Amino acid sequence: MGTSLDIKIKRANKVYHAGEMLSGVVVISSKDAVQHQGVTLTMEGTVNLQLSAKSVGVFEAFYNSVKPIQILNSTIDMVKPGKFPSGKTEIPFEFPLHVKGNKVLYETYHGVFVNIQPQKGKLTPSPVDFTITPETLQNVKERALLPKFLIRGHLNSTNCVITQPLTGELVVEHSDAAIRSIELQLVRVETCGCAEGYARDATEIQNIQIADGDVCRGLSVPIHMVFPRLFTCPTLETTNFKVEFEVNIVVLLHADHLITENFPLKLCRT
């Protein structure tokens, strides 16, 4: 039978913050005694930037410049050269989570462009009132062909605590065309690159329907969206990459007209 090695972390959820202590044990199991040249343990935290399939061939000029950004690196000598006895040997360890230099310990995150392997912030509410009419829409080729409509509403804040829902309300004051559906679309926007160029990728990560059918005019429709834990992180902006979020209010009319209003969001963990 060979020798097996396992690393066990004491904290069950494996969530840590800067300044805390990462502790656990290295478990070495062997049927027979094992001679060794010492045991060292290295902890490393990196931010990896990568090209998505749609950008390969377009931004390869800066691909080699997009190097992994190291934010944590610590090594400890656990055991000097010697021999492990047969059976199970447990070696405890502790690592302080201190970042390198002036780097920031970003929250672990996996996206299309940006992967962060191991930020609290202050949040100021920013309520937004909106009015949607044919005249307020952008990128419309034949505005005269659009049916008349008037939609009002507000978002309680576009600066959002990531653990709390995005809230607000929407009211269809008037619409010549019948409404089929009203949806909230959460979009993640990842940008990475360097002086040679930047790649930008927008991905829909959540879509929820807040109204189905031709809603009553003048009726308040609540806006309530919980941010998906696995696909969101606090808004980030660094020299080489950005992770941003937007929400679209999408109104689909029976005449196959699609109305979209976009709102940039700033996510924060307090």
Side-chain angles (χ1 to χ4, degrees):
M1 176 182 175
T3 302
S4 64
L5 185 147
D6 190 20
I7 299 175
K8 296 183 177 180
I9 307 298
K10 286 187 177 180
R11 188 173 298 183
N13 64 8
K14 299 183 177 64
V15 176
Y16 293 85
H17 298 88
E20 293 185 344
M21 192 70 72
L22 173 67
S23 60
V25 294
V26 174
V27 182
I28 299 171
S29 302
S30 178
K31 184 177 179 180
D32 303 313
V34 178
Q35 195 80 24
H36 65 88
Q37 299 302 312
V39 178
T40 56
L41 186 64
T42 298
M43 175 182 66
E44 185 179 48
T46 60
V47 178
N48 297 315
L49 308 180
Q50 60 191 33
L51 293 176
S52 69
K54 67 178 70 174
S55 297
V56 172
V58 179
F59 292 104
E60 287 170 333
F62 69 74
Y63 188 77
N64 292 328
S65 301
V66 185
K67 304 293 185 182
I69 303 170
Q70 190 176 77
I71 56 176
L72 282 173
N73 188 273
S74 298
T75 299
I76 55 174
D77 293 320
M78 302 184 67
V79 179
K80 294 182 179 180
K83 180 183 289 187
F84 289 125
S86 59
K88 181 186 292 185
T89 302
E90 293 190 354
I91 309 169
F93 66 85
E94 284 188 337
F95 275 111
L97 292 177
H98 293 151
V99 298
K100 296 181 63 177
N102 60 353
K103 297 289 196 307
V104 176
L105 187 60
Y106 299 113
E107 187 167 316
T108 300
Y109 168 77
H110 300 277
V112 177
F113 281 161
V114 182
N115 292 328
I116 303 176
Q117 308 288 345
Q119 160 180 134
K120 293 189 176 182
K122 294 182 179 179
L123 196 66
T124 302
S126 57
V128 173
D129 295 320
F130 59 86
T131 300
I132 308 173
T133 67
E135 291 71 31
T136 64
L137 297 180
Q138 299 178 355
N139 301 320
V140 179
K141 293 182 179 179
E142 298 178 331
R143 197 179 304 272
L145 299 179
L146 289 176
K148 298 296 182 181
F149 57 84
L150 172 60
I151 301 171
R152 301 183 193 276
H154 73 269
L155 299 175
N156 292 330
S157 180
T158 54
N159 288 343
C160 305
V161 178
I162 198 171
T163 55
Q164 298 177 8
L166 171 71
T167 58
E169 66 175 9
L170 175 149
V171 178
V172 180
E173 301 285 3
H174 169 78
S175 177
D176 287 348
I179 294 173
R180 292 174 57 183
S181 176
I182 302 177
E183 301 170 356
L184 292 179
Q185 179 188 52
L186 183 62
V187 177
R188 178 185 61 215
V189 182
E190 298 170 76
T191 307
C192 69
C194 61
E196 285 79 7
Y198 282 83
R200 185 180 186 274
D201 192 87
T203 307
E204 178 187 301
I205 56 176
Q206 182 167 266
N207 190 302
I208 63 174
Q209 187 180 53
I210 61 173
D212 183 24
D214 197 14
V215 299
C216 296
R217 307 304 185 252
L219 177 69
S220 175
V221 178
I223 293 173
H224 188 98
M225 173 181 277
V226 176
F227 296 106
R229 183 176 63 86
L230 296 179
F231 300 102
T232 54
C233 70
T235 300
L236 297 174
E237 182 170 357
T238 72
T239 303
N240 295 102
F241 70 91
K242 294 191 295 184
V243 182
E244 301 167 297
F245 296 89
E246 301 173 351
V247 66
N248 293 322
I249 295 178
V250 182
V251 181
L252 181 61
L253 304 180
H254 268 291
D256 289 332
H257 292 294
L258 189 67
I259 304 166
T260 302
E261 189 77 5
N262 176 268
F263 302 91
L265 302 177
K266 181 178 180 180
L267 305 188
C268 182
R269 191 181 299 280
T270 58

